């Protein structure tokens, strides 16, 4: 059995993603939509580029996800002030309800993933993962 760090991290990520998507599909959501709903629930009025960067999804892919979300009545795109070039994304009432449901899905998946860990272990795990992520983030020197 392969227990290398990258293998375990990949398996954990995929298992968590399967758990989240199973719950999201029950809400009628497709891949990418839960992350975007979660982001917009705390950062409404973001543009497509910002959403893509935060959710770590290619901008073109975010565009097609947003189009599906708009068709489903979850979001609306609006212009801000005199800026005629950029559209900003806002949740509709239906989108807010979906975001709340997604928050429950994420919380359930997280609770299942962390079951059996002590509070200090969870804090230590999160701190370690923050360091790993910082190590892998591209720097200006790269």
């Amino acid at each position: 059995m392969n227990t290398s760090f990258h293998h375990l991290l990949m398996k954990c990520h995929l298992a968590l993603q399967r758990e989240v998507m199973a719950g999201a599909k029950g809400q009628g959501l497709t891949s990418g939509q839960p992350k975007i709903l979660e982001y917009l629930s705390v950062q409404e009025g973001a543009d497509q580029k910002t959403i893509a960067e935060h959710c770590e999804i290619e901008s073109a892919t975010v565009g097609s996800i947003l189009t599906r979300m708009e068709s489903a009545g979850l979001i609306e795109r609006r212009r801000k002030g005199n800026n005629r070039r950029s559209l900003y994304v806002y949740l509709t009432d239906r989108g807010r309800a979906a975001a709340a449901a997604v928050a429950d899905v994420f919380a359930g998946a997280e609770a299942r993933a962390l079951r059996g860990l002590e509070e200090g272990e969870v804090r230590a795990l999160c701190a370690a993962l923050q360091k790993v992520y910082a190590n892998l983030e591209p720097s200006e020197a790269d």
Side-chain angles (χ1 to χ4, degrees):
M1 180 174 167
N2 189 347
T3 58
S4 65
F5 173 76
H6 75 271
H7 186 76
L8 286 171
L9 193 58
M10 179 186 65
K11 287 181 74 74
C12 287
H13 169 74
L14 292 172
L16 187 63
Q17 186 174 1
R18 276 193 305 272
E19 181 91 8
V20 167
M21 285 313 301
K25 284 181 183 176
Q27 302 295 323
L29 301 173
T30 61
S31 182
Q33 291 179 346
K35 281 194 270 191
I36 292 173
L37 285 169
E38 180 185 45
Y39 178 67
L40 289 174
S41 71
V42 295
Q43 193 62 50
E44 273 200 277
D47 62 27
Q48 182 173 319
K49 180 182 177 195
T50 303
I51 294 168
E53 287 171 359
H54 178 81
C55 295
E56 302 206 22
I57 304 172
E58 292 294 323
S59 191
T61 303
V62 168
S64 62
I65 293 170
L66 290 176
T67 298
R68 286 192 307 276
M69 291 176 76
E70 192 170 34
S71 295
L74 299 171
I75 59 139
E76 61 183 2
R77 299 185 230 202
R78 294 186 245 151
R79 298 190 193 305
K80 275 188 187 174
N82 293 332
N83 186 343
R84 300 172 68 80
R85 301 179 82 195
S86 294
L87 291 172
Y88 297 86
V89 182
Y90 296 85
L91 293 172
T92 61
D93 288 342
R94 185 174 181 181
R96 279 186 204 80
V102 161
D104 290 342
V105 168
F106 280 129
E110 199 169 294
R112 182 168 177 217
L114 298 173
R115 186 174 44 215
L117 295 177
E118 299 291 329
E119 188 176 326
E121 290 175 306
V122 173
R123 279 195 309 274
L125 175 61
C126 290
L129 288 172
Q130 285 286 348
K131 288 178 183 178
V132 169
Y133 182 72
N135 289 342
L136 296 171
E137 270 291 278
S139 68
E140 291 183 25
D142 290 342

